[in-house]
Amino acid sequence: MTLRLTDDETDALRRRSELEQRSMQDVARQAIREYIETHSRAELLDRVLDEELPRYAEALRRLGE
């Protein structure tokens, strides 16, 4: 896999890696892992809510009254 970054992105990544005293690759890999983890959780929550909210819609409506 090849990741192409703009000059600004490369500079920002380089600064971040120097600040953290880690390689640019390590910083980029962690960012990718965090992105996937965050979006995976959000998608799972959305799916559960889409499936479960209709089942409890009437009870939730009554609680709101």
Side-chain angles (χ1 to χ4, degrees):
M1 180 181 125
T2 302
L3 178 62
R4 291 177 181 83
L5 301 173
T6 65
D7 290 342
D8 288 344
E9 291 167 336
T10 301
D11 290 341
L13 180 57
R14 183 175 290 113
R15 285 191 306 272
R16 175 52 53 184
S17 70
E18 289 171 358
L19 187 86
E20 295 181 13
Q21 297 181 355
R22 297 170 45 205
S23 71
M24 291 172 60
Q25 178 176 331
D26 284 346
V27 173
R29 289 179 67 208
Q30 180 180 352
I32 292 167
R33 285 190 302 272
E34 289 173 1
Y35 175 88
I36 291 169
E37 188 175 302
T38 299
H39 285 77
S40 295
R41 275 194 221 132
E43 289 169 1
L44 176 61
L45 180 59
D46 286 346
R47 190 171 349 122
V48 168
L49 290 174
D50 287 346
E51 292 171 5
E52 298 300 323
L53 278 181
R55 182 186 321 180
Y56 299 105
E58 180 60 23
L60 290 170
R61 186 190 62 73
R62 282 194 221 155
L63 286 171
E65 291 177 350

